Amino acid sequence: MRYSYQRRTCAIARAKMFPKGTKRKFSDSREEPVAGGEDVNQSSLAAVRMLSSYSLQRQSLLDMSLIKLQLCHMLVEPNLCRSVLIANTVRQIQEEMTQDGTWQIMTQALSAANAAAQCSADRLVATEVLCRQTEAAQGEQVPKPFPVVGSEGCPAEEVLEEEEEAAAAEVGMTMSTVSPQAPTSYLPGTFGMDPCWEEEETGEDDDDDDEEEEEDSEECGSGSEGEERERDSLVEDTRTAEQVFGTFEIKNPAPSPDPALEELFSDVDASYYDLDTVLTGMQSVPKMGPYDLLESLSSHGPSPLSSSTSCRSDLNELDHIMEIIVGS
Amino acid sequence: FVGVGGGNDFQWCFSQVKGAIDEDVAEADIISTVEFNYSGELLATGDKGGRVVIFQREQESKNRPHSRGEYNVYSTFQSHEPEFDYLKSLEIEEKINKIRWLPQQNAAHSLLSTNDKTIKLWKISQRDKRAEGYNLKDEDGRLRDPFRITSLRVPVLLPMDRMVEASPRRIFANAHTYHINSISVNSDHETYLSADDLRVNLWHLEITDRSFNIVDIKPANMEELTEVITAAECHPHQCNVFVYSSSKGTIRLCDMRAAALCDRQSKFFEEPEDPSSRSFFSEIISSISDVKFSHSGRYMMTRDYLSVKVWDLNMENRPVETYQVHEYLRSKLCSLYENDCIFDKFECCWNGADSAIMTGSYNNFFRMFDRNTRRDVTLEASRENSKPRAILKARKVSTGGKRKKDEISVDSLDFNKKILHTAWHPKENVIAVAATNNLYIFQDKIN
């Protein structure tokens, strides 16, 4: 798959840039087809010259911060204060790295790797931006949160990818691609949160976002999404920040500006948002909100949308499905 | 040692400890807030499981004149339940973030307790008498047959086992999009404020369906968000004044008479940064985790990661006093960032006379500073020092190479044993210290 190939080349580029490993590490990377060619070698030499323990420390702090921002906060909303402080730290590091030129070197190396891998930087940004829902929308395996190399303090997270270091590298790399154009635009993507309800501007986008929401809550990015979703994600890039920070907004059960939603909630008592109520009022409007969720998840038994009479009888079904989502 | 007035013979002694002893701590039992009421007679704790436990001080007994009244459980109730936001597939924690007592207006006691999203007003009332001898109904409560009633009697009040019940009288919900970090009762006893990461709201205690938004720092574009509100408090005497602190180490004092939306502060408190100590962690450790007005209303105290600062409300450009809580952690900031301890939110408190301040640290240590004598002491809340009336020994963390006999080295500190919440009795030298799932009560030894 092209996606994982891109990530591997990024890892190679990175490994060449900061060869802190042993010979073995170097030879490991040589087994892969080196897609950078001469350009990568030249930029890596320059980087090596700049190496100092401070740079390494700074880089590891950057990696640590990015991973902290990416951690899978599944059940409870993450602490906004903590996230903002980490994001500010990342910004500080990036500013400093820009000033002493390290950032540009990373950018060059990444561009070289990109060119060799025959894909545009934009495409790389789109696919690898640290926003989890974007990746989920790709239908790709979402890189699960991974411990920082050498960091015992990070909470243990599932590791799905073998190239966990590669993922960390790519995270760092994608930032560099984004930065020349928009220094801060990558940051919100690092939160990787579910899209906010209010971001679903049109009815037809709801499907996509609902799918993403469903996937995120499943803690698994795999799905059957195709090219369509990738294109959608490119569009969504520009508003990842809003989505990410926006997820901290809780939607009060007040009517939303979306006409489809208004219709949905028109006969629902807004003061008490309860899945039961919405469910029973929903039978005429097929695909909206958690119903996509239910449809795709329910593998047995009648769909809760079939009729109002079966709604009540399927509430056990609903509980079961909710349990799956919550992962309890 | 430190105490009110700072006499040389002042010492702290162990009084009580509440909570389970065993090593396995249930997450729900972790204490998340501690607060004395206005008289000090009641001590409330909230925990991660959404429960509130209120202790009441027993009357002093003549038998043991040297030991003050002990605190025993008065009432326990479930204040908040976990909720699930189905739309966002996120849980709303039931953890009690703050408890604030309301001034007592009748026989019942009232307090506000809040989790991340909802504030509740609880009324705690007790009954220790019941009426007997009703005319129209018998003891079971069943109505008596009117024809059987042949005589009239006056019901009498008889003592009964004390029954304490807590009931939720008001629920203030749906006003906070972000997580509530503070609540503060106003000196007018009619209103109170609640603050989340980006907004501060003003409520009337009687009105639950609306609140006034008085501070809003949410940027139009969330990408530009770089600062959040970390704490807020009403001035103890001036009901139009309140302060809120930020993650950038600043405090803004606002006057509600100036405008409906207090976006422009009346006073802005910030200490200029020391350029020589600047690091990537400078902003994080400058983030203020707690702000408290002195009882007098003339000063306020802020807690950031490494220090406590006392500010004179009339001087905005720097604090009047700075106390180092655990400066030895400055060289460990990277590790503390890695394990997230750098984001721990420590609280601080004043004693009744505003002459001493207290705050927590790691390894179940807590620190006290005497503002007059400038002396400070480190004490430990541990089961080892839990003999009745045992005097607390001063602890010391060794920073240099050589470690003296009773000292503990920085690397041996247990960062899982953190004291985030402490409270000082409003009038006496009695303190409550929350160490994970245990509540320690210490008092001064009368010589």
Side-chain angles (χ1 to χ4, degrees), chain B residues 76-91:
Chain B
T76 304
F77 56 93
Q78 186 76 33
S79 171
H80 287 72
E81 298 274 2
E83 289 169 48
F84 194 78
D85 183 342
Y86 288 99
L87 266 184
K88 295 168 67 185
S89 301
L90 288 173
E91 224 180 65

Side-chain angles (χ1 to χ4, degrees), chain B residues 146-384:
Chain B
F147 295 109
R148 300 263 173 84
I149 303 170
T150 52
S151 61
L152 199 62
R153 57 186 179 176
V154 178
V156 291
L157 287 176
L158 295 176
M160 60 179 257
D161 290 337
R162 186 181 74 180
M163 201 172 74
V164 180
E165 60 180 4
S167 59
R169 303 302 288 219
R170 307 264 188 278
I171 298 183
F172 305 91
N174 297 326
H176 285 279
T177 305
Y178 304 95
H179 291 181
I180 298 174
N181 52 55
S182 315
I183 47 174
S184 178
V185 182
N186 210 346
S187 55
D188 61 10
H189 299 170
E190 281 186 357
T191 58
Y192 75 95
L193 64 75
S194 60
D196 65 30
D197 293 315
L198 297 180
R199 298 191 177 102
V200 180
N201 292 336
L202 184 73
W203 301 82
H204 191 284
L205 284 165
E206 302 289 324
I207 299 169
T208 59
D209 61 355
R210 70 200 117 105
S211 65
F212 291 99
N213 175 241
I214 52 177
V215 175
D216 188 342
I217 65 167
K218 182 177 180 222
N221 183 0
M222 281 295 269
E223 281 187 40
E224 294 161 10
L225 179 67
T226 57
E227 190 174 11
V228 299
I229 296 171
T230 52
E233 200 182 43
C234 292
H235 191 278
H237 309 306
Q238 297 169 33
C239 58
N240 53 296
V241 172
F242 68 95
V243 292
Y244 67 94
S245 60
S246 83
S247 57
K248 289 199 170 174
T250 65
I251 309 102
R252 288 169 175 81
L253 185 145
C254 301
D255 186 333
M256 288 189 267
R257 295 172 304 188
L261 187 63
C262 302
D263 271 353
R264 295 187 57 197
Q265 64 271 3
S266 303
K267 297 195 185 188
F268 182 76
F269 298 84
E270 187 180 26
E271 183 169 28
E273 198 190 348
D274 175 11
S276 66
S277 66
R278 173 132 191 93
S279 76
F280 286 121
F281 305 110
S282 294
E283 185 184 316
I284 299 178
I285 63 170
S286 76
S287 174
I288 291 172
S289 51
D290 194 16
V291 64
K292 291 263 171 51
F293 278 106
S294 65
H295 292 91
S296 64
R298 205 190 135 188
Y299 299 96
M300 68 177 174
M301 161 166 63
T302 58
R303 174 71 155 99
D304 51 71
Y305 190 63
L306 297 179
S307 67
V308 182
K309 296 177 181 173
V310 175
W311 302 77
D312 184 326
L313 293 188
N314 297 318
M315 189 162 75
E316 299 168 54
N317 56 355
R318 60 180 171 82
V320 289
E321 295 153 33
T322 302
Y323 301 94
Q324 301 301 334
V325 180
H326 36 219
E327 183 68 13
Y328 47 78
L329 295 182
R330 193 179 285 273
S331 56
K332 309 278 177 190
L333 291 179
C334 196
S335 312
L336 294 165
Y337 179 73
E338 200 177 350
N339 63 17
D340 264 12
C341 281
I342 207 174
F343 301 107
D344 287 336
K345 294 194 183 237
F346 291 94
E347 292 172 10
C348 51
C349 60
W350 299 86
N351 70 343
D354 297 337
S355 60
I357 58 184
M358 169 167 64
T359 189
S361 178
Y362 294 104
N363 208 69
N364 277 354
F365 287 172
F366 58 100
R367 303 263 287 139
M368 277 185 192
F369 304 93
D370 186 321
R371 295 178 64 212
N372 299 325
T373 64
R374 293 309 175 112
R375 292 208 318 239
D376 64 271
V377 69
T378 305
L379 301 172
E380 183 181 1
S382 76
R383 292 274 175 177
E384 284 79 46

Side-chain angles (χ1 to χ4, degrees), chain A residues 64-106:
Chain A
M64 203 195 305
S65 305
L66 292 170
I67 285 159
K68 278 182 183 298
L69 290 175
Q70 250 202 329
L71 281 180
C72 221
H73 296 285
M74 276 324 304
L75 286 180
V76 187
E77 277 179 283
N79 186 336
L80 182 61
C81 181
R82 176 180 174 274
S83 304
V84 166
L85 288 172
I86 298 173
N88 290 352
T89 307
V90 168
R91 207 179 272 126
Q92 256 186 68
I93 297 174
Q94 185 249 323
E95 274 167 21
E96 199 183 275
M97 287 175 85
T98 307
Q99 277 169 20
D100 65 20
T102 327
W103 201 260
Q104 281 73 358
I105 290 169
M106 274 174 72

Side-chain angles (χ1 to χ4, degrees), chain A residues 2-46:
Chain A
R2 223 151 98 181
Y3 177 79
S4 42
Y5 177 72
Q6 288 159 21
R7 285 211 265 128
R8 228 174 290 145
T9 52
C10 292
I12 296 157
R14 168 123 194 245
K16 282 191 179 282
M17 270 175 49
F18 297 109
K20 44 179 173 166
T22 59
K23 274 187 189 174
R24 205 179 82 194
K25 197 165 185 174
F26 234 88
S27 60
D28 278 345
S29 63
R30 258 191 235 138
E31 283 165 14
E32 306 285 352
V34 176
E38 263 186 51
D39 286 342
V40 173
N41 282 332
Q42 279 174 5
S43 55
S44 72
L45 276 174

